Amino acid sequence: MTQLLADAQSHKFDVVVVDKVDRFYRDLKGLLTTLEELQALQIAFVSVRENLDFSTPWGKLTLTVLGMLAEIYLDNLSQETSKGKQARARKGHWNGSIPVGYCRGNCPTCQDPNGPGYCPYAGGRARGAGEHLIAHPLESQAVQQAFAWYLTGQYSDGQIAERLNAATGTLPTGQTRPFRTKGLPGRWPPGAFSKDSVREILQRRFYTGVVVYYGLDQQGRKRKRDDYAARFPGQHPALIVETDFEQALTLRQQLSRRSRAATGKPHVYLLSDLLVCSQCGQRLRASSAGGRHYYRDLTRINHRGTCTQPTLKGPQIEAQVLAFLLGLQLPADWRSWAQDYCLSAPNKLSLP
């Protein structure tokens, strides 16, 4: 849609043809606003199924009704989806992707990201019917180890990620494999743990053998992690006892309050995510320690990279960038140069 509207501004076409109105927009306000924008650009709009002239009064009325029906359909679909998720939770089934630590157990036809080539059971005898989750022989050890380290109070999320990435799991057969995340099928493959992935594990109540249903609050927004609507006994085995999970949550809250009390108001770092590492190409992000701030490779902050770029002192690099910017001078003909550049660009932009 963004590309279509940009091309419309450049007058790359004269008419927009859709199969049905609801395939163009399922929000009445958005539909009318977009069509008004197209009309202002003298671009026609045609729906094949409805076969109406939307420029006439009757066509405009029909368009409004069709837009409202599309919006009602989307709202109803959202409600039915929520009902389905709640029904699955009530039966003890998981919603969404399978959490790290579990698999379906259908080993003969295993398609788990940490299945063939990683789990020695893949391709062998079935260890489950696929309807309920079972403990993954290697991932479950990583989850349990993460909780064990965190409950000592000696390790942060990032330090646990580093330890998991250096550790291995042992199978009943005596075979060992390095721990790794499950990844997200279709988006990224299994890989190293980061402090974010460890934080997600340590706050997921699913590992206690229950399924929580969040639903929406009174404002129609998804509830927060600790504000779930209901919890049900799960059909999957517990990897962590509930008392350990609650202890981990309490420890995290105590550390969070201590961190806020020490740092006070949040800081704004001028160059965070703007600097790029010359060695690995990753962006640099700001972090603070002892009242000072630094810029480091993002993968090092997440404890999943090995870049050797030294940590940069915040005030020093910011002063260098500021001095460089203050030394810049625009040429007298900068506006005509920028105009020529924009007109020669593929999207045919122009300055106001």
Side-chain angles (χ1 to χ4, degrees):
M1 179 62 71
T2 302
Q3 184 63 50
L4 181 142
L5 294 178
D7 291 342
Q9 292 285 347
S10 302
H11 296 282
K12 291 186 176 181
F13 48 80
D14 302 311
V15 59
V16 174
V17 181
V18 299
D19 179 49
K20 294 174 61 178
V21 170
D22 62 7
R23 305 309 301 160
F24 184 70
Y25 241 111
R26 290 191 183 273
D27 173 72
L28 179 60
K29 181 179 179 181
L31 172 66
L32 298 178
T33 301
T34 304
L35 292 183
E36 183 178 354
E37 183 176 347
L38 293 175
Q39 184 179 10
L41 296 170
Q42 297 184 342
I43 295 177
F45 177 80
V46 173
S47 173
V48 175
R49 298 284 187 94
E50 282 82 16
N51 193 23
L52 292 171
D53 183 0
F54 295 119
S55 63
T56 65
W58 176 251
K60 292 179 180 179
L61 174 61
T62 305
L63 178 65
T64 304
V65 173
L66 293 174
M68 179 62 71
L69 291 175
E71 185 172 333
I72 292 174
Y73 169 80
L74 189 62
D75 291 342
N76 181 69
L77 180 62
S78 176
Q79 294 177 8
E80 293 301 321
T81 301
S82 297
K83 289 180 182 178
K85 289 183 176 181
Q86 187 174 10
R88 282 186 58 84
R90 186 177 293 109
K91 294 179 181 179
H93 297 307
W94 78 99
N95 284 303
S97 58
I98 299 176
V100 62
Y102 294 96
C103 65
R104 294 177 182 270
N106 48 356
C107 302
T109 58
C110 178
Q111 296 181 345
D112 191 274
N114 281 336
Y118 179 73
C119 177
Y121 295 132
R125 181 177 57 85
R127 302 173 63 240
E131 181 180 357
H132 306 309
L133 299 182
I134 67 169
H136 189 282
L138 291 165
E139 294 176 5
S140 59
Q141 295 182 47
V143 171
Q144 293 167 337
Q145 189 62 72
F147 272 93
W149 282 330
Y150 190 76
L151 288 174
T152 65
Q154 300 178 5
Y155 304 104
S156 64
D157 298 332
Q159 291 171 328
I160 292 175
E162 291 179 344
R163 294 174 70 89
L164 286 176
N165 292 333
T168 58
T170 304
L171 295 162
T173 59
Q175 296 175 287
T176 60
R177 295 284 191 281
F179 290 138
R180 69 184 193 185
T181 65
K182 195 183 288 291
L184 189 60
R187 297 189 62 182
W188 58 79
F193 286 88
S194 68
K195 69 173 185 178
D196 294 332
S197 58
V198 170
R199 184 188 303 113
E200 173 64 24
I201 288 173
L202 296 176
Q203 297 184 89
R204 192 154 196 167
R205 195 175 294 273
F206 190 84
Y207 294 119
T208 64
V210 301
V211 177
V212 297
Y213 174 73
Y214 289 96
L216 303 177
D217 59 19
Q218 295 180 350
Q219 287 73 39
R221 296 172 296 189
K222 184 178 179 180
R223 297 177 183 272
K224 297 183 179 180
R225 186 184 298 273
D226 297 328
D227 186 32
Y228 52 85
R231 56 183 289 179
F232 307 97
Q235 298 288 345
H236 59 284
L239 301 182
I240 305 297
V241 296
E242 187 167 1
T243 53
D244 286 349
F245 179 81
E246 295 295 343
Q247 183 180 347
L249 285 186
T250 301
L251 180 59
R252 181 172 298 277
Q253 292 171 357
Q254 293 173 347
L255 294 174
S256 177
R257 285 195 295 267
R258 188 183 308 165
S259 175
R260 286 196 297 268
T263 59
K265 296 181 179 180
H267 296 283
V268 177
Y269 302 108
L270 301 179
L271 303 178
S272 188
D273 281 334
L274 296 178
L275 298 176
V276 177
C277 177
S278 61
Q279 295 192 29
C280 65
Q282 294 288 331
R283 294 186 179 274
L284 304 184
R285 182 170 293 178
S287 60
S288 60
R292 301 178 180 179
H293 69 281
Y294 306 85
Y295 290 97
R296 294 192 298 166
D297 179 350
L298 183 58
T299 59
R300 293 180 62 189
I301 293 179
N302 287 333
H303 299 264
R304 60 186 306 173
T306 57
C307 181
T308 57
Q309 167 67 42
T311 298
L312 303 177
K313 294 181 179 179
Q316 181 178 348
I317 188 65
E318 289 169 357
Q320 293 178 13
V321 173
L322 179 60
F324 173 77
L325 293 176
L326 290 175
L328 292 177
Q329 289 186 348
L330 290 174
D333 61 342
W334 71 269
R335 177 172 286 275
S336 60
W337 176 88
Q339 182 75 37
D340 293 341
Y341 175 81
C342 291
L343 291 177
S344 63
N347 54 7
K348 302 295 183 185
L349 294 175
S350 61
L351 294 177

